[in-house]
Amino acid sequence: HAKDKGRGTFSFFDEGMNRDSAERLALATSLRHALSAGELRLVYQPQFALDDQRMTGAEALMRWHSPRFGDVSPAQFIPLAEETGLILPMGEWALHESCRQARTWSDAGHPLKVAVNVSAVQVYRDDFAATLAAALRDTGAKPASIELELTESTLMKDAARFIEVIAYVRALGISVAIDDFGTGYSSLAYLKRFQVSKLKVDRSFVKDIPDDEEDRAIAEAIVRMGQSLKLKVIAEGVETPAQMDFLAGIGCHEVQGFLFSRPLEADAMTRRLVQARSGVAPAELSLPH
Ligand code: C2E
Ligand code: MG
Ligand code: MG
Ligand code: MG
């Protein structure tokens, strides 16, 4: 199905099940040591407001360089980490590292909101709240400098419990974005009860706008839904000026995508923040016209 997420679509069966299981086992074995061996890092992809072209935040995205397998895509290692439970220490590390980085940028005089992806496996654990509070406490990050990205499918696993967890997260002062929005079937009534701040329009709906009429309608419906519920709406995966123009036209608030910036290493992001602040921002920091 064309709207399926990329991570679910790689072919499990065409190469033979045995080879595939052997590969996954080898990958899982390597992944087990990745964190302690220092093979994981975070890169940061800027997010921009469409009205004043300001950088509003950055999404932290996990990267794994394995000595054996090279650079492994998150589409491959995140599901594996979720299946094996490794996502718990990895996710806790990502949370801690994002908070540490947010604190570092804030101390250096260029505060930036860092959005951290959190897996369903983490969110539904009883100790998630404590883990989150510890990350803030240990790093001294301001809660307002952290946003959690939770997918719509995570939300739908247990809506009642989700509402409780989010209430706690919001009470800490941390904001919540619903990632990959539009791929699930959460109702308006539900959304109203979640204390979320932002909807992220899934890349699958951005990809074929403005050509695809259905995707145009879906993007527009999500933006309107966000407006009526007073939520921010950000579109992910924006690659072309035509996509950006369409999104601006329908009143989408924010954008993220290769058109503006690829995910950046932490030091490259720091340089951009420094340049932006000293007023000698390179042209690519502002949105292309
Ligand atoms: P996501 O959270 O929806 O992240 C957006 C993905 O789209 C990222 O892929 C990003 O690099 C990619 N992207 C951004 N702009 C564009 C664009 O213009 N065009 C295209 N083609 N792609 C774009 P990435 O980094 O490979 O991550 C894939 C997924 O892996 C993420 O999707 C997220 O679900 C998961 N992930 C990544 N890091 C973490 C993490 O620290 N924790 C958890 N639980 N999941 C993570
Ligand atoms: Mg995300
Ligand atoms: Mg997403
Ligand atoms: Mg996605």
Side-chain angles (χ1 to χ4, degrees):
H1 192 264
K3 293 292 175 270
D4 282 353
K5 290 185 61 181
R7 72 155 71 154
T9 57
F10 52 90
S11 42
F12 277 117
F13 301 106
D14 56 4
E15 308 248 10
M17 201 50 197
N18 286 338
R19 208 197 111 191
D20 187 74
S21 342
E23 258 179 37
R24 282 173 66 80
L25 189 63
L27 210 58
T29 304
S30 290
L31 189 58
R32 193 155 294 126
H33 306 286
L35 183 57
S36 58
E39 293 164 15
L40 300 180
R41 69 186 196 285
L42 295 176
V43 291
Y44 299 86
Q45 188 177 33
Q47 303 173 327
F48 296 94
L50 273 170
D51 57 0
D52 60 5
Q53 313 196 346
R54 174 176 48 92
M55 199 193 289
T56 54
E59 178 177 11
L61 294 158
M62 207 183 285
R63 294 292 179 261
W64 175 28
H65 183 82
S66 156
R68 175 157 174 210
F69 296 99
D71 290 317
V72 185
S73 160
Q76 233 181 330
F77 75 78
I78 295 289
L80 196 58
E82 288 173 332
E83 285 160 32
T84 53
L86 289 168
I87 196 68
L88 291 171
M90 287 166 62
E92 187 172 349
W93 169 80
L95 207 48
H96 195 279
E97 177 60 14
S98 295
C99 289
R100 192 199 59 73
Q101 187 62 71
R103 168 78 199 263
T104 300
W105 282 328
S106 169
D107 284 355
H110 25 77
L112 188 69
K113 180 177 278 194
V114 177
V116 195
N117 292 285
V118 179
S119 158
V121 182
Q122 297 170 267
V123 168
Y124 290 116
R125 293 256 313 184
D126 288 340
D127 60 3
F128 178 66
T131 303
L132 195 56
L136 289 177
R137 189 188 59 231
D138 295 349
T139 60
K142 291 194 183 72
S145 69
I146 301 300
E147 182 161 271
L148 302 187
E149 291 198 1
L150 301 162
T151 67
E152 191 179 17
S153 65
T154 295
L155 171 165
M156 291 188 307
K157 281 208 166 77
D158 184 348
R161 172 95 181 104
F162 192 88
I163 289 173
E164 286 176 16
V165 180
I166 293 323
Y168 178 81
V169 171
R170 299 289 290 134
L172 281 179
I174 291 175
S175 59
V176 175
I178 302 300
D179 206 348
D180 302 345
F181 191 79
T183 57
Y185 303 90
S186 48
S187 72
L188 261 177
Y190 258 1
L191 270 184
K192 208 183 77 177
R193 292 168 56 204
F194 301 126
Q195 301 179 47
V196 304
S197 323
K198 199 188 262 189
L199 303 177
K200 288 194 87 169
V201 181
D202 191 65
R203 181 157 64 85
S204 61
F205 305 115
V206 174
K207 201 164 53 76
D208 297 327
I209 56 174
D211 299 330
D212 189 298
E213 195 183 328
E214 282 179 21
D215 288 345
R216 276 203 316 267
I218 291 168
E220 207 168 339
I222 295 174
V223 169
R224 250 192 265 117
M225 187 184 297
Q227 285 166 345
S228 50
L229 293 171
K230 300 194 169 52
L231 305 175
K232 278 243 149 64
V233 179
I234 181 168
E236 63 180 4
V238 180
E239 294 182 350
T240 69
Q243 289 168 343
M244 183 190 73
D245 289 343
F246 177 81
L247 291 162
I250 61 173
C252 185
H253 306 107
E254 295 179 10
V255 283
Q256 176 183 346
F258 295 168
L259 177 63
F260 314 104
S261 175
R262 299 245 162 196
L264 302 170
E265 301 291 336
D267 58 351
M269 177 59 99
T270 302
R271 284 194 296 276
R272 280 185 89 148
L273 291 169
V274 169
Q275 286 169 336
R277 200 162 156 267
S278 59
V280 292
E284 64 267 23
L285 192 65
S286 43
L287 301 175
H289 302 289

